[in-house]
Amino acid sequence: MQQEDLFKKLTAHSKEYGYIFQSSEIYDGLSAVYDYGQYGAELKNNIRKYWWDAMLLLNDNIVGLDSAIFMHPEVWKASGHVDAFNDPLIDNKDSKKRYRADVLIEDYIEKLEEKINKEVGKAAKRFGDKFDEAMFRQTNARVTDLAERIGNIIKRFVEASEKSDLQEIRQIIVDCEIACPVSGSRNWTEVRQFNLMFDTKLGSVSEDASKIYLRPETAQGIFVNFMNVQKSGRMKIPFGIAQVGKAFRNEIVARQFIFRMREFEQMEMQFFIRPGDEPQWYEFWKEKRMRWHKALGFDENKFRFHDHTKLAHYAVAATDIEFAFPFGFKEVEGIHSRTDYDLAQHQKFCGRKLQYFDTELNKSYVPYVVETSIGLDRMFLTVLAASYNEEKIKKENGREEERVVLGLPPALAPVKLAIFPLVKKDGLSEISQKIRDDLRFDFSCQYEEKDSIGRRYRRQDAIGTPFCITVDHQTKEDETVTIRYRDTMEQERVPVGKLREIIGEKASMKKLLQSL
Ligand code: ATP
């Protein structure tokens, strides 16, 4: 299936099965804002819980926080967001489409990288076992030429970004002959900076009202509460503060469904450490976070690190965990070594000490920070994209049929099991409901008695329910039911009394956390 088609299907499927709706759809929608439907809300809760528990239950030295969306306006001056939370935008004069100039350049670099990888792939095939990739990359003229071009573009781009030289950024686009994907033309406007923060007014009387911002990230709520948490929790460095909450960005280009939204949710953890310890902790969190992603059991090749070449002004090291979305490898999570930048800035702006007294070293310092920052919605899209499958299956009558199945990790699935009476008579409904009533304290269950069993299976496959239980006449005799597994479609006869154990074994969050 074409990747673009896959993305379209995923979007349509999300709507059809109650995962994601366009916000205010009956008014033709609000751009880049989405609502989560009945199953979406549950899946989102489960992903949030997986993250929260992995942070808090599995680490003695990480605690949670829930800070407000509104913050004192000085916070955003201190953090650098008022001055520097900008994206460079550029318009194509023919298509009237707006782009992020940095993204156009990054995409261009990615294309050159793909060309290199193609050359390497071809050579690997040609030379077979004797192929020495490192040597080939160093000596093949076409590859070295492409690598040099990439190096030059990155160097120019990093320098231009550091100096906020917008003309030079435009010049790079012109020199690389980057064309608008829509019009195909190279007729570009100047590059302009655009601040991504939404603002509003606090207070009812307009003269007194002051301008405040909707937070563009949750991290600052953690920094400003650093002393509160450290003192009240008697926290010893190293320790972390984790929080999940809404963030808002007036994104320039917001086209890829829930990948880039204007209102979204972040799951961030700031880990406070001794200055000098940042290289170890950076590596530690990189590895730990990648493990969290891979533990979900999706194709491991779909995840990779992408180290930043253009570092934010506060960072000494930064990497993204990227996932192979239908539109290419893109960031899901960022891991940043942020030095003492944020706390030192707040210390300067608020005029209070934000320091930690280290009893072992017998001195005070402003702690350094390694942060992990993941978008809950982007993780949701990752899970959906990795789970969506269209399969051809052979029916008993020999005919082929297509089934759409969401192979969600059972621990994250919104509905864990569906219970069906084979027919609506002979007391089978009552037995089914009794089983549901017994299991509902452990798992989210659904009871369905309408339609044929086959159709009920299809519907649960599309929702991603990992287990379907069918109650039939034999159940009345020997208290057994059939359990049908979503992924293999295999069916097994098991005692009713064993259901809790079987499903608990396969669908529990506990097991998932234990695998970390
Ligand atoms: P991008 O380069 O994609 O704009 P970013 O580097 O600005 O992202 P961060 O500021 O590091 O992102 O934010 C941390 C995480 O928050 C990202 O890894 C992403 O998962 C999520 N995120 C950021 N912006 C958005 C958005 N507009 N919509 C959904 N999730 C977002």
Coordinates of all heavy atoms in Angstrom, one line a residue, residues 20 250 327 351 369 389 451:
I20 N -10.6 9.5 16.7 CA -10.3 11.0 16.6 C -11.3 11.7 15.7 O -11.5 11.2 14.6 CB -8.9 11.2 16.1 CG1 -7.8 10.5 17.0 CG2 -8.5 12.7 15.9 CD1 -6.5 10.5 16.4
N250 N 1.0 28.1 18.1 CA 0.4 28.5 16.9 C 1.2 28.1 15.6 O 1.9 28.9 15.0 CB 0.2 30.1 16.9 CG -0.9 30.5 16.0 OD1 -1.5 29.7 15.3 ND2 -1.1 31.8 16.0
F327 N 4.6 9.3 6.5 CA 5.2 10.4 5.7 C 6.7 10.5 6.1 O 7.3 11.6 5.9 CB 4.5 11.7 6.0 CG 4.1 11.9 7.4 CD1 4.9 12.5 8.3 CD2 2.8 11.5 7.9 CE1 4.6 12.7 9.7 CE2 2.4 11.6 9.2 CZ 3.3 12.2 10.1
G351 N 15.0 36.9 40.8 CA 15.8 37.5 41.9 C 15.9 36.6 43.2 O 16.3 37.1 44.2
V369 N 20.3 20.0 34.0 CA 19.0 19.2 33.7 C 19.2 18.4 32.4 O 19.7 18.9 31.4 CB 17.8 20.2 33.5 CG1 16.6 19.5 32.9 CG2 17.5 20.8 34.8
N389 N -3.4 -2.4 10.2 CA -3.1 -3.4 9.2 C -4.3 -3.8 8.4 O -5.4 -3.9 8.9 CB -2.7 -4.7 10.0 CG -1.2 -4.8 10.1 OD1 -0.5 -4.5 9.1 ND2 -0.7 -5.1 11.3
D451 N -25.9 -8.7 15.4 CA -25.1 -9.2 14.2 C -24.5 -10.6 14.4 O -24.5 -11.1 15.5 CB -24.0 -8.2 13.8 CG -24.5 -6.9 13.4 OD1 -25.6 -6.8 12.9 OD2 -23.8 -5.9 13.7

